[in-house]
Amino acid sequence: MKVIDCSKNIKCELGACKNRSTREIVFDRVGIRGRIHLCDKCLNELYSAIGEAVVPKSVETAKKRDKASAVKKPNESEIAFKRERGGEK
């Protein structure tokens, strides 16, 4: 997917906007009609709406998850020691 400058004199396709399009969103693997024509105002509004819906995880959340998943696993020497003492079979 790419956002390119619009070279055609086409109306913006979002909502009831009456501005002329200045940008095109071009999708991969679709025909020539697989494009969305947008003005700069609508493109910025779309960008903001997508930003609210798709929020990346914060660094604090990622750190908490890493600490929770980093539970200490016994290595081979600890397992052998427990077997010698009769703790594990």
Side-chain angles (χ1 to χ4, degrees):
M1 180 183 317
K2 295 187 277 188
V3 178
I4 60 173
D5 290 335
C6 182
S7 59
K8 302 172 186 112
N9 190 15
I10 298 175
K11 187 177 142 188
C12 179
E13 295 179 344
L14 288 186
C17 182
K18 296 181 183 185
N19 296 331
R20 293 291 169 188
S21 66
T22 55
R23 308 279 182 186
E24 287 182 60
I25 299 176
V26 181
F27 299 100
D28 297 335
R29 293 181 266 142
V30 292
I32 194 165
R33 302 213 185 249
R35 297 177 179 213
I36 300 174
H37 299 89
L38 305 167
C39 66
D40 286 333
K41 180 184 173 197
C42 290
L43 183 66
N44 286 331
E45 288 179 17
L46 181 65
Y47 179 75
S48 298
I50 291 172
E52 290 174 4
V54 182
V55 179
K57 294 188 178 186
S58 69
V59 176
E60 295 171 1
T61 306
K63 285 181 182 178
K64 287 179 184 177
R65 185 182 66 225
D66 289 341
K67 286 181 182 178
S69 65
V71 176
K72 184 182 175 191
K73 296 179 183 177
N75 59 22
E76 291 181 27
S77 63
E78 290 176 343
I79 294 172
F81 179 73
K82 286 181 181 179
R83 284 184 185 158
E84 288 174 7
R85 301 192 79 186
E88 255 186 306
K89 295 183 180 181

